[in-house]
Amino acid sequence: MSYRLGVDVGGTFTDLLLVDERNGRSWSAKVPSTPADQSVGVLTGLARVCERAGIHPGDIGHVMHGTTIATNTVLTGTGARCGLVTTRGYKQVLQIARSFVPGGLGGWVIYNKSLPMAPLACTIEAEERIDAKGAVVTPLNEEQVRQELRRLRATNIEALTVSLINAYANDRHERRVRELAAEELPGVPVSLSSEVVPEMQEYERTMTTVANSYVRPRVARYVRNLETKLAQHSKDVKLHILRSDGGLSSARASEEYPVNLLMSGPAGGVTGAVWVAVHAGFPNLLTVDVGGTSTDVALIRDGEPRLRRETTVGDVTVRASSVDIRTVGAGGGSIAHVPELTRALRVGPQSAGADPGPAAYGKGGTEPTVTDANVVLGYLPAAQRLGGEMELDRALAHRAVSKIASALGKDVRDAALGIYDIVNENMVGALRLVSVEQGHDPRDYALIAFGGAGPLHANALARLLGSWPAIIPPGPGVLCALGDATTAVRDESSRTFIRRFSETGAPEIAKVLRELAADAARALEQEHVRRGDIGIRYQVDVRYHGQGLRLTIGVDVSDLEKRGMAAISEPFDAEHKRLFTFALPLEHEVVSLRAVVQGKGIRVKRPVIGKGGADPKAATVGRQSVYMEGRDRSAVVYDRARLKSGNRIQGPAIIIEMDSTTVILPRHHGRVDSFGNVLIYPNGFTARTSGGSAARAQRKGAAAKPRSVATSRRRPARH
């Protein structure tokens, strides 16, 4: 059982990557997703990739799975009917929330769209009180709680949340309420705020725990169902689910704390992008993952993706660590339309998804999509087969896009080009959120595009942003699965620790951080991770005293013990200045401490392709008429499997492979490196070997930076 399988389930396709742990060899497969039951697509892909590798499914020892089941549950509002137990006087904690006032004209409105997760009718109050230091002020009235739980039973709840005031400081009452609920509500899963997110701020803690309860039954059913089906192939296979922060959790932990899986799918792509780009020598990256339904983007600096302490899905924001990924409804299945009122072309966020999918799929879809536009433009040539098998129907694509052409009074090719350009601008808007809006100049970063549709748009996106090169990794359509397969088991332990700097010191903070690391490491050891294979990172949430905002700062404990509190204050001031252009002359204050532990990932063999000359003629498979920049052009079509290191591909050109298609625009070229990456540059651009500010000196001949993405400073935030 020396094989590991990475699985990424997307809205349109399910991607799989099988890795031999002995030598790092890998095989990939791509099959249509099955939205009604995602496990069907997973098992279909498992059989196909095993057939290609020539192994039996029973040889697979680990399955690492990135899933959107929790995300889709929140977005579609199909979660469990949740009950909530709060402290007496806090029944409306979710309704009051942070008193967010939407819009400039709604000053009297208090609005929280997350209320259906735990309606007031399913909320009960417990007679109890614990103070902020953990002391019991009012003992728990167990008989009163029993009566309320019996009343709650009549509402037919499917999951229960217990979030009592200050439970992060003392969880005794929450644990007792769970014991009472087990007697009064047998079979109903219970989530405790003191276990899900043991941190201060009662609204965030309650909202996060309610979200955990909301998705818990559906995630648990899916995980158990998948485990059962996998066990039919191998009794000893271990299933791990990718967390939002890019680590892995066990199947059991995924069932109990599914709130950590809300960004599970997109996180795999970022992990895979880091793995590819570091080998290629580009540690600073903008990642673009274009699937069938949406585009996910992120920023990587010095080989590390940016993390954030909050995760937002739709209208729900929870306190859970995640890779800082921004999502926009722009993918291959995004539907183009022309509203009657404005008569202006729009693309997305509605999507044709996997069923029926774009018109070109020939599965009954009739609405014009981005994929149909790419077919009409010639960017998806006749020789291409999606997933290596699906043939595209050009006539159906042309018929669908003709609807847009008629509405706009334009030629069908101009309408298709309009769809292509608009979806690119939508993607650029998301990329600005993780770069310009965070104080990063996109010209200092390379752009790596993956997902089934990412390479179709990579060249155009890099041109809009001035981010060179545009990197197209081998197997871009299954890069998320690569990230899943190479990810290690991760866990974290945190503690609220509110102290001004004058009230604490480096020795006390270092002591608490090491205690948290020991707690988290024990969780990994239960997953059979050896102590010597566990890596530890420490984080401190810091703010200026009296400030509402807090920033997460990475800390080296040895440096903290050596330099004292300056090891925290100096990087905090620098980050505050980078984000908001200023630092305040106020005392610093620690808010919470955190230790993140992670095991070792597996080694995947990085294949080195054969060397060749500059001429890629040997990889030519034909020519294709394409419509670029308002006129017809002839593009050479290349088979990526036959490209050699050193080949220079002059645009316009199209590169086809099993899981994706790459478009190189006129006046640009692609250079193949020794690992098989295609690096796209403008003609005359001096290639750089790594990202970073030094790249500015190498931009001679680069395309001018568009005015629409000019670097700007954020306005100072109000505190």
Side-chain angles (χ1 to χ4, degrees), residues 399-648:
R399 184 185 306 169
V401 178
S402 293
K403 299 178 183 179
I404 300 299
S406 298
L408 296 175
K410 290 184 174 293
D411 178 80
V412 67
R413 294 174 303 173
D414 287 322
L417 187 59
I419 295 172
Y420 182 80
D421 289 341
I422 287 177
V423 79
N424 288 337
E425 290 290 349
N426 292 344
M427 295 176 192
V428 166
L431 285 162
R432 283 177 57 88
L433 292 177
V434 297
S435 58
V436 176
E437 294 297 324
Q438 297 290 333
H440 298 279
D441 188 337
R443 296 172 300 179
D444 291 337
Y445 293 77
L447 183 144
I448 182 168
F450 49 97
L456 284 165
H457 302 267
N459 196 162
L461 295 174
R463 183 171 62 177
L464 288 169
L465 289 166
S467 301
W468 302 110
I471 304 172
I472 313 299
V478 295
L479 191 69
C480 288
L482 170 66
D484 296 338
T486 57
T487 300
V489 179
R490 178 182 297 179
D491 206 338
E492 67 177 50
S493 182
S494 63
R495 183 182 304 175
T496 294
F497 187 86
I498 304 176
R499 304 282 195 283
R500 300 188 199 182
F501 275 26
S502 60
E503 298 171 341
T504 186
E508 182 183 16
I509 291 178
K511 179 176 180 293
V512 175
L513 287 172
R514 287 199 166 95
E515 291 173 355
L516 293 172
D519 290 341
R522 280 191 287 272
L524 260 62
E525 289 175 337
Q526 293 176 1
E527 294 297 318
H528 308 292
V529 179
R530 294 185 306 173
R531 173 72 70 162
D533 292 337
I534 296 176
I536 304 173
R537 291 187 294 112
Y538 300 99
Q539 298 173 344
V540 182
D541 291 345
V542 191
R543 64 188 179 190
Y544 294 116
H545 179 63
Q547 183 183 39
L549 172 82
R550 57 180 177 178
L551 299 178
T552 300
I553 303 298
V555 175
D556 183 294
V557 171
S558 298
D559 186 47
L560 176 64
E561 292 174 329
K562 179 181 178 180
R563 298 175 52 213
M565 300 302 283
I568 299 175
S569 62
E570 290 177 2
F572 171 80
D573 288 340
E575 180 70 1
H576 198 282
K577 187 173 293 186
R578 187 185 65 78
L579 288 172
F580 308 112
T581 75
F582 67 94
L584 295 175
L586 299 175
E587 184 178 10
H588 297 78
E589 184 174 51
V590 176
V591 179
S592 59
L593 306 175
R594 190 175 306 105
V596 181
V597 296
Q598 180 168 308
K600 291 177 65 175
I602 68 165
R603 179 183 63 87
V604 177
K605 186 177 182 180
R606 191 73 171 112
V608 177
I609 65 173
K611 293 183 178 180
D615 189 354
K617 185 177 180 180
T620 303
V621 296
R623 284 190 169 270
Q624 171 75 24
S625 176
V626 296
Y627 192 71
M628 293 178 175
E629 299 178 346
R631 67 185 183 89
D632 289 316
R633 300 172 185 269
S634 178
V636 182
V637 181
Y638 297 94
D639 179 1
R640 184 160 190 176
R642 291 153 57 184
L643 290 172
K644 301 295 183 182
S645 174
N647 285 170
R648 188 180 191 276

Side-chain angles (χ1 to χ4, degrees), residues 71-83:
T71 310
N72 292 340
T73 299
V74 172
L75 292 176
T76 58
T78 54
R81 181 174 176 83
C82 297

